[in-house]
């Protein structure tokens, strides 16, 4: 059973991994988890690009009847910005 699900999961995951993302948005999959890495020069563009990427990822999840575990979702900000943006 695991092999069958694993193969099916790869087909489903490949769809989101192969979607067109902006140049500053990178997506990676690890087992059944995904990571979005977003680069930006300003707080405003970071917030806008992150929200856009999350919306695109969330839509894909809905289309495939998948749920995002908000309890397990985190972000790490690597920045020299004086004030970090609020990501929701």
């Amino acid at each position: 059973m695991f092999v069958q699900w694993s193969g099916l999961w790869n087909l489903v995951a490949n769809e989101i991994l192969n979607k067109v993302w902006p140049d500053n948005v990178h997506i990676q999959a690890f087992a059944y988890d995904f990571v979005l890495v977003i680069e930006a020069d300003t707080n405003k563009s970071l917030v806008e690009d992150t929200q856009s990427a999350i919306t695109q990822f969330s839509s894909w999840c809905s289309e495939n009847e998948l749920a995002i575990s908000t309890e397990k979702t985190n972000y790490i900000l690597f920045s020299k910005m004086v004030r970090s943006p609020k990501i929701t």
Side-chain angles (χ1 to χ4, degrees):
M1 181 71 175
F2 177 74
V3 174
Q4 292 173 339
W5 173 243
S6 177
L8 179 61
W9 175 249
N10 288 340
L11 290 173
V12 173
N14 278 339
E15 181 185 337
I16 190 69
L17 295 173
N18 291 322
K19 280 199 181 266
V20 175
W21 295 89
D23 289 340
N24 65 322
V25 176
H26 311 279
I27 186 169
Q28 296 179 356
F30 301 98
Y32 298 106
D33 295 324
F34 291 92
V35 174
L36 289 167
V37 178
I38 301 154
E39 305 169 59
D41 293 330
T42 66
N43 279 353
K44 182 180 178 186
S45 62
L46 179 61
V47 170
E48 290 172 356
D49 296 346
T50 300
Q51 290 302 145
S52 176
I54 290 171
T55 299
Q56 183 174 346
F57 185 78
S58 180
S59 295
W60 172 79
C61 287
S62 295
E63 291 167 11
N64 289 280
E65 298 181 18
L66 299 171
I68 297 173
S69 174
T70 55
E71 297 82 24
K72 296 180 181 179
T73 300
N74 290 300
Y75 74 92
I76 300 173
L77 177 65
F78 299 99
S79 173
K80 293 181 182 178
M81 296 177 190
V82 175
R83 195 185 76 164
S84 5
K86 182 177 179 180
I87 309 292
T88 56

